[in-house]
Amino acid sequence: MGFQKPTGTQDLLPGVVEKWQYVEEKARDLCRRFNYREIRTPIFEQTSLFVRGVGETTDIVEKEMYTFDDKGNRSMTLRPEGTAGVVRAYVENKLYGEPDVSKLYYIGPMFRYERPQAGRQRQFHQFGVEALGAVDPAIDAEVIALGYQLCVELGLKDVKVEINSVGNATSRAEYRETLLGFLRPMKDTLCKDCQSRMERNPLRVLDCKVDQDKFVGAPSILDSLDEESLSHFAKLQAYLDDFGVDYAVNNRLVRGLDYYTLTAFELKAQGIGAIDTVGGGGRYNGLVGDIGGPDQPGIGFGIGLERIQLILEHQNIEVTTLAPLDVYFVALGESADREVNRLLFKLRQSGLSGERDYLGRKMKAQMKSADRFKARYTAILGDDELERGEISLKAMDTGEQQTVKLDDLVATLRGNN
């Protein structure tokens, strides 16, 4: 049958990839406005980075990582998420020595071995931001607002944010005991994953998709927050109110990663059935220290680009997929064909876009190509026009035609741009 793409991956073909570029350009522009700078980290890292950074009790580490031994018998893993690698780069390159908060963003592929389904692939793509060096809840609100604003500017409908506080170390320890008191009587009725995680990290049990109906009466972590955590959470909500972000408190929201402290949140939009989560994130005040750096706080999020595309399609949001060409050249004759090559290159050097026929087709077929490429103009050159040093320029929207000197063609097109 020949070769086929691996299960859980996809080919982004011309006509589709432009929709991705549109979203990525929106994200980059938003980061420019919020003063976040791009960082690019390796696609694979030491396995121990993710075990320590993401957490041993997570589904990612326990079930989903693509791990392999390299030729030096070192255990390496394709990155399953973006934060751990960014924090590793922050520590290794001593970005914590800079006088300002490190505000970073990334766009790229991630890898998790899981059952492929709508909006969930084994190679998937994320846009994410990380702000490191500040514990002020104002930066939490800024990070949340950036993700929210991206969804709004993409035109997604019913955009909202769910937030929670998972507390600091002190309040989490208190809540852990309260939660265990609730969970232990039902331990034998829970799935194997929940039973395994209960003693190691009971908060992760609440994130289980299998046993959700059994946790209806679970104690709320908000009741265990100490004064510091309550104050941080109250200020976060006040800032989000100031920004006009549509949010709701969800006291069951703990997210699926072990490193979160204080703020946890998810971004949602009107999706397909249960698929409405676009992305999420939270604060990770202990992560930098856990992977060998100084005690620096941080907060960030990851947004799934496959989810964005799925929701854009479901909500019938039109995205421009093909930028129109400035001009399509039609050559009639051997000498004209060579001159068209020269003109086309000169045009591209000037910053304009252009195309020509390479298949030796008749003029009618070439004009159809000009239509398919949505060319603004068609430049028609025959050997007779070439002898006069002229070219015929036709506006494709109006049909209006003019004759232009060959040496003036680029200036004329730029003037009409």
Side-chain angles (χ1 to χ4, degrees), residues 232-247:
H232 188 279
F233 196 44
K235 289 178 181 177
L236 167 62
Q237 293 176 72
Y239 289 132
L240 293 177
D241 289 336
D242 291 343
F243 294 159
V245 171
D246 184 6
Y247 73 91

Side-chain angles (χ1 to χ4, degrees), residues 70-106:
D70 68 8
K71 292 186 181 296
N73 290 321
R74 293 171 290 251
S75 182
M76 297 290 172
T77 295
L78 298 179
R79 64 185 184 196
E81 57 92 54
T83 300
V86 171
V87 173
R88 190 268 312 147
Y90 173 79
V91 172
E92 183 176 348
N93 295 283
K94 296 182 172 60
L95 298 184
Y96 50 80
E98 296 180 353
D100 298 309
V101 174
S102 291
K103 297 168 64 174
L104 309 167
Y105 79 90
Y106 59 85

Side-chain angles (χ1 to χ4, degrees), residues 305-325:
L305 299 186
E306 279 82 1
R307 288 289 179 91
I308 290 281
Q309 294 297 333
L310 192 66
I311 293 174
L312 284 171
E313 181 180 357
H314 177 68
Q315 294 185 358
N316 297 315
I317 298 171
E318 288 295 326
V319 174
T320 301
T321 60
L322 184 63
L325 284 176

